[in-house]
Amino acid sequence: MSWGNKILIGFLTFVIGISSLVYIAMKQSNEVIDDNYYESELKYQDKIDASKNLALLAEKLIVINNENELAIQFPKEAVNNHPQGKIQLLSALQHSNDVMLNIAVVNNVQSINKNKLVKGTYFLKIDWANNGIKYYHQQNINIQ
């Protein structure tokens, strides 16, 4: 085989490889976790302050990932007077799998039935206020 044929084969292999990568990249989803990303970033100092408020409490927020449910145990002093807020479970796989819930605690615990959730990794955001004090918690959760 001549050197001209080898160069032609090498060039064609390169073009096919690049074309394959472009095709695969076009099939990937490019969803962001938060639709209002830029607005959320501008208000991020509020989240930092709310996280500090949560860290100052004697009790800590605990997320229990059981077989059938996801239980969130709130610190008593952070939910003692009808807290207002929301829980977001943002799916890493697909935006349509996201779950948004209002906080409705019973004995300082909120339970989320796993039947509502698709298996996969979620980004858990809990944002609430109680007695005029804001609290915020976030973490990754793996639902099996």
Side-chain angles (χ1 to χ4, degrees):
M1 185 181 298
S2 71
W3 60 271
N5 288 340
K6 291 179 184 177
I7 290 175
L8 181 63
I9 291 171
F11 180 73
L12 289 175
T13 303
F14 175 75
V15 169
I16 291 171
I18 293 296
S19 299
S20 299
L21 289 175
V22 168
Y23 177 76
I24 291 169
M26 296 289 287
K27 292 285 189 180
Q28 298 296 315
S29 171
N30 60 354
E31 295 177 348
V32 293
I33 288 180
D34 191 355
D35 289 336
N36 300 321
Y37 175 77
Y38 295 108
E39 291 83 9
S40 297
E41 283 298 312
L42 293 175
K43 297 179 183 177
Y44 196 68
Q45 185 61 43
D46 294 339
K47 302 279 188 218
I48 293 170
D49 295 340
S51 294
K52 286 180 182 177
N53 291 339
L54 183 60
L56 292 174
L57 297 177
E59 286 183 75
K60 300 302 174 197
L61 184 136
I62 300 170
V63 178
I64 303 165
N65 194 354
N66 292 333
E67 188 174 321
N68 297 324
E69 70 178 4
L70 186 65
I72 302 168
Q73 184 176 346
F74 290 89
K76 289 179 186 173
E77 58 189 299
V79 292
N80 61 1
N81 191 16
H82 304 293
Q84 299 293 316
K86 61 184 175 180
I87 298 172
Q88 298 176 328
L89 286 158
L90 305 173
S91 175
L93 295 176
Q94 226 173 1
H95 191 55
S96 62
N97 295 340
D98 293 353
V99 175
M100 311 292 179
L101 302 166
N102 289 325
I103 290 181
V105 295
V106 176
N107 295 328
N108 304 329
V109 176
Q110 175 142 359
S111 297
I112 302 167
N113 193 339
K114 283 190 176 180
N115 292 337
K116 297 179 181 179
L117 303 173
V118 177
K119 291 182 181 178
T121 302
Y122 287 84
F123 188 62
L124 172 68
K125 290 182 175 183
I126 307 170
D127 194 3
W128 79 100
N130 187 53
N131 292 329
I133 301 172
K134 293 182 179 182
Y135 300 99
Y136 180 74
H137 177 78
Q138 68 182 27
Q139 75 180 70
N140 290 332
I141 299 288
N142 192 18
I143 302 297
Q144 295 295 328

